[in-house]
Amino acid sequence: MKNLVLLLPILFLASVAASAIKTTDIESVRLRVDGSSAELTSSDQSAIASFWERALNTMLLTKDTQEIVEIRRQIEQQKSSQPLSSYAAAYDAAALEFLKIAFDNVNRIEDPARRQLFQQNLMVLAANLQTPKLAPVAIERINEKDPVVRYWAVKAVTNAGVIQTLSDEIMGDDETKAAILNALKQRIEFEQQTEILTMIIRFCAAINHPTAREILLAIADQRIPAYMDWSVENELMDVKLLIALGSVAMIQDDDTVKAEFAGKFAVLLSLAFQRNMLGQDVLSDEQIEQNNTVILEVNDKILKSMLNVSQTGVLNAMRQHRGLDRVYETIFGDRMRTGDLATIYKFDYGKDAGGKSITEPPTLPAPVDAGIDSEG
């Protein structure tokens, strides 16, 4: 993720530039109309469109990076504070229209560095406006090779403002929700950036939709093999993923969905436990710290609730350095008996050759069997 972290600061240079564009007309409309029941006049709509056109044209003509950021900030300042107002609807519509034009113009810039700079800043602008109305321009760029553009494209369709709007009974748009989820579902097959996957997990955890649940299960299915062959990285992402899986299992009324999500939660978390029990001599200090964090945070934030207990024994076992084996068997089960999670949520870990339910999670190979040793 280092490359993305290094690229992001260029988008947030402290701006010392003077006001780059005139905002008098747009501010007059916003202050008069936004938050009231007043309808926009044709003159108001013209002022909004003119502001967007002038601002983006000015941005694309400037050679000063700080000025680009200043213009972006001014545009963001004029967005609506009342998402149901007529001003908000007109502002978002103009944003979509003129951002599409701006991206088209940027694509014709010959200088790769300037083209990239404008693509990044336009995508940051779309994300910071926090409206699902801009989903079309973001979805088009979810598969961009540039990780910064891709990051902000995903953020533009998964941020808190979008979640709030899509979850609202009045403002929610099922067609837009489906379009976003379908784009994210296709993206996760190729996405390697932890920050991007984490945004997708948070979004899907907050959106009650079958495709959102499919995405969570698909990400878990990508993480499980990485644990099994000891190649997993960025384990802290699994805190969000496990909390999401466990939360779905708890709130769902459908017994089949409950069992599926609880089972996936149990498999993934059991592998984190096994990594802890088997990997102390081969994992780096950073890996051990991340693994401990995953286990303790998931234990505190979701596992205890799932088991309906005040304590699971996990914290005490780790504090006393006496190993997780006994508490592991209680929670997840062993060859002879079903664990607490499987008992409560009525799932198993598959069937054996004779069709009998398997009562223990998949066994993590010993590090040496996976080609891992203390030398790295």
Side-chain angles (χ1 to χ4, degrees), residues 160-180:
V162 170
I163 291 172
Q164 182 178 1
T165 300
L166 292 180
S167 301
D168 188 274
E169 292 184 3
I170 298 175
M171 296 186 294
D173 179 345
D174 290 341
E175 185 175 342
T176 298
K177 185 188 301 183
I180 292 171

Side-chain angles (χ1 to χ4, degrees), residues 55-62 68 98-123 125 141 144 146 149:
L56 291 180
N57 284 342
T58 303
M59 176 189 286
L60 299 188
L61 289 172
T62 185
I68 293 170
F98 289 102
L99 279 171
K100 283 182 176 181
I101 295 171
F103 273 113
D104 288 341
N105 290 335
V106 165
N107 288 337
R108 291 193 285 269
I109 295 176
E110 294 183 359
D111 181 358
R114 283 187 60 76
R115 185 168 63 246
Q116 182 184 54
L117 177 65
F118 286 126
Q119 288 172 338
Q120 291 173 354
N121 275 279
L122 288 173
M123 206 64 257
L125 173 59
R141 290 158 185 86
E144 283 286 336
D146 180 351
V149 173

